PDB file of all heavy atoms in Angstrom:
ATOM      1  N   GLY A   7      86.479 -12.887 152.144  1.00 65.00           N
ATOM      2  CA  GLY A   7      86.186 -12.865 150.761  1.00 65.00           C
ATOM      3  C   GLY A   7      84.734 -12.773 150.345  1.00 65.00           C
ATOM      4  O   GLY A   7      84.361 -12.026 149.549  1.00 65.00           O
ATOM      5  N   THR A   8      83.952 -13.433 151.124  1.00 69.00           N
ATOM      6  CA  THR A   8      82.482 -13.504 150.898  1.00 69.00           C
ATOM      7  C   THR A   8      81.933 -12.043 151.294  1.00 69.00           C
ATOM      8  O   THR A   8      81.118 -11.497 150.622  1.00 69.00           O
ATOM      9  CB  THR A   8      81.824 -14.573 151.802  1.00 69.00           C
ATOM     10  OG1 THR A   8      82.430 -15.818 151.496  1.00 69.00           O
ATOM     11  CG2 THR A   8      80.273 -14.568 151.391  1.00 69.00           C
ATOM     12  N   GLY A   9      82.389 -11.470 152.366  1.00 69.00           N
ATOM     13  CA  GLY A   9      82.044 -10.170 152.785  1.00 69.00           C
ATOM     14  C   GLY A   9      82.388  -9.097 151.687  1.00 69.00           C
ATOM     15  O   GLY A   9      81.563  -8.155 151.344  1.00 69.00           O
ATOM     16  N   VAL A  10      83.606  -9.147 151.207  1.00 64.00           N
ATOM     17  CA  VAL A  10      83.959  -8.232 150.112  1.00 64.00           C
ATOM     18  C   VAL A  10      83.108  -8.510 148.929  1.00 64.00           C
ATOM     19  O   VAL A  10      82.782  -7.454 148.203  1.00 64.00           O
ATOM     20  CB  VAL A  10      85.493  -8.382 149.789  1.00 64.00           C
ATOM     21  CG1 VAL A  10      85.921  -7.754 148.533  1.00 64.00           C
ATOM     22  CG2 VAL A  10      86.449  -7.972 150.976  1.00 64.00           C
ATOM     23  N   GLN A  11      82.843  -9.662 148.688  1.00 69.00           N
ATOM     24  CA  GLN A  11      81.937  -9.963 147.481  1.00 69.00           C
ATOM     25  C   GLN A  11      80.563  -9.341 147.670  1.00 69.00           C
ATOM     26  O   GLN A  11      79.996  -8.687 146.757  1.00 69.00           O
ATOM     27  CB  GLN A  11      81.730 -11.445 147.282  1.00 69.00           C
ATOM     28  CG  GLN A  11      80.995 -11.859 145.994  1.00 69.00           C
ATOM     29  CD  GLN A  11      80.816 -13.419 146.002  1.00 69.00           C
ATOM     30  OE1 GLN A  11      81.190 -14.126 146.823  1.00 69.00           O
ATOM     31  NE2 GLN A  11      80.228 -13.784 144.884  1.00 69.00           N
ATOM     32  N   ALA A  12      80.049  -9.420 148.869  1.00 69.00           N
ATOM     33  CA  ALA A  12      78.782  -8.778 149.138  1.00 69.00           C
ATOM     34  C   ALA A  12      78.757  -7.339 149.037  1.00 69.00           C
ATOM     35  O   ALA A  12      77.904  -6.626 148.459  1.00 69.00           O
ATOM     36  CB  ALA A  12      78.276  -9.281 150.579  1.00 69.00           C
ATOM     37  N   LEU A  13      79.873  -6.769 149.610  1.00 68.00           N
ATOM     38  CA  LEU A  13      79.989  -5.204 149.433  1.00 68.00           C
ATOM     39  C   LEU A  13      80.164  -4.867 148.056  1.00 68.00           C
ATOM     40  O   LEU A  13      79.564  -3.876 147.487  1.00 68.00           O
ATOM     41  CB  LEU A  13      81.182  -4.751 150.287  1.00 68.00           C
ATOM     42  CG  LEU A  13      80.939  -4.816 151.805  1.00 68.00           C
ATOM     43  CD1 LEU A  13      82.302  -4.370 152.452  1.00 68.00           C
ATOM     44  CD2 LEU A  13      79.814  -3.904 152.204  1.00 68.00           C
ATOM     45  N   GLY A  14      80.898  -5.631 147.243  1.00 70.00           N
ATOM     46  CA  GLY A  14      80.946  -5.255 145.739  1.00 70.00           C
ATOM     47  C   GLY A  14      79.605  -5.422 145.029  1.00 70.00           C
ATOM     48  O   GLY A  14      79.363  -4.614 144.159  1.00 70.00           O
ATOM     49  N   ALA A  15      78.947  -6.407 145.405  1.00 71.00           N
ATOM     50  CA  ALA A  15      77.497  -6.597 144.726  1.00 71.00           C
ATOM     51  C   ALA A  15      76.633  -5.428 145.157  1.00 71.00           C
ATOM     52  O   ALA A  15      75.953  -4.945 144.316  1.00 71.00           O
ATOM     53  CB  ALA A  15      76.897  -7.911 145.260  1.00 71.00           C
ATOM     54  N   LEU A  16      76.709  -4.966 146.425  1.00 70.00           N
ATOM     55  CA  LEU A  16      75.942  -3.876 146.810  1.00 70.00           C
ATOM     56  C   LEU A  16      76.328  -2.507 146.077  1.00 70.00           C
ATOM     57  O   LEU A  16      75.531  -1.775 145.571  1.00 70.00           O
ATOM     58  CB  LEU A  16      76.045  -3.630 148.355  1.00 70.00           C
ATOM     59  CG  LEU A  16      75.271  -2.555 148.934  1.00 70.00           C
ATOM     60  CD1 LEU A  16      73.789  -2.643 148.724  1.00 70.00           C
ATOM     61  CD2 LEU A  16      75.569  -2.312 150.338  1.00 70.00           C
ATOM     62  N   ALA A  17      77.657  -2.301 146.022  1.00 71.00           N
ATOM     63  CA  ALA A  17      78.183  -1.089 145.356  1.00 71.00           C
ATOM     64  C   ALA A  17      77.738  -1.201 143.877  1.00 71.00           C
ATOM     65  O   ALA A  17      77.328  -0.166 143.276  1.00 71.00           O
ATOM     66  CB  ALA A  17      79.642  -1.006 145.616  1.00 71.00           C
ATOM     67  N   GLY A  18      77.854  -2.294 143.189  1.00 72.00           N
ATOM     68  CA  GLY A  18      77.548  -2.502 141.830  1.00 72.00           C
ATOM     69  C   GLY A  18      76.079  -2.261 141.670  1.00 72.00           C
ATOM     70  O   GLY A  18      75.635  -1.635 140.649  1.00 72.00           O
ATOM     71  N   GLY A  19      75.305  -2.734 142.514  1.00 75.00           N
ATOM     72  CA  GLY A  19      73.880  -2.486 142.471  1.00 75.00           C
ATOM     73  C   GLY A  19      73.449  -1.008 142.613  1.00 75.00           C
ATOM     74  O   GLY A  19      72.648  -0.520 141.867  1.00 75.00           O
ATOM     75  N   LEU A  20      74.124  -0.375 143.493  1.00 73.00           N
ATOM     76  CA  LEU A  20      73.935   1.073 143.671  1.00 73.00           C
ATOM     77  C   LEU A  20      74.346   1.947 142.462  1.00 73.00           C
ATOM     78  O   LEU A  20      73.629   2.886 141.972  1.00 73.00           O
ATOM     79  CB  LEU A  20      74.589   1.551 144.957  1.00 73.00           C
ATOM     80  CG  LEU A  20      74.044   1.146 146.246  1.00 73.00           C
ATOM     81  CD1 LEU A  20      74.945   1.541 147.389  1.00 73.00           C
ATOM     82  CD2 LEU A  20      72.565   1.391 146.342  1.00 73.00           C
ATOM     83  N   VAL A  21      75.496   1.555 141.844  1.00 77.00           N
ATOM     84  CA  VAL A  21      75.931   2.192 140.664  1.00 77.00           C
ATOM     85  C   VAL A  21      74.974   1.940 139.561  1.00 77.00           C
ATOM     86  O   VAL A  21      74.593   2.833 138.790  1.00 77.00           O
ATOM     87  CB  VAL A  21      77.370   1.773 140.207  1.00 77.00           C
ATOM     88  CG1 VAL A  21      77.670   2.223 138.785  1.00 77.00           C
ATOM     89  CG2 VAL A  21      78.326   2.307 141.262  1.00 77.00           C
ATOM     90  N   THR A  22      74.515   0.770 139.367  1.00 82.00           N
ATOM     91  CA  THR A  22      73.485   0.414 138.271  1.00 82.00           C
ATOM     92  C   THR A  22      72.204   1.155 138.510  1.00 82.00           C
ATOM     93  O   THR A  22      71.680   1.676 137.600  1.00 82.00           O
ATOM     94  CB  THR A  22      73.247  -1.122 138.388  1.00 82.00           C
ATOM     95  OG1 THR A  22      74.625  -1.865 138.169  1.00 82.00           O
ATOM     96  CG2 THR A  22      72.418  -1.486 137.244  1.00 82.00           C
TER      97      THR A  22
END
Side-chain angles (χ1 to χ4, degrees):
T8 308
V10 169
Q11 182 182 10
L13 290 176
L16 179 62
L20 294 175
V21 167
T22 303

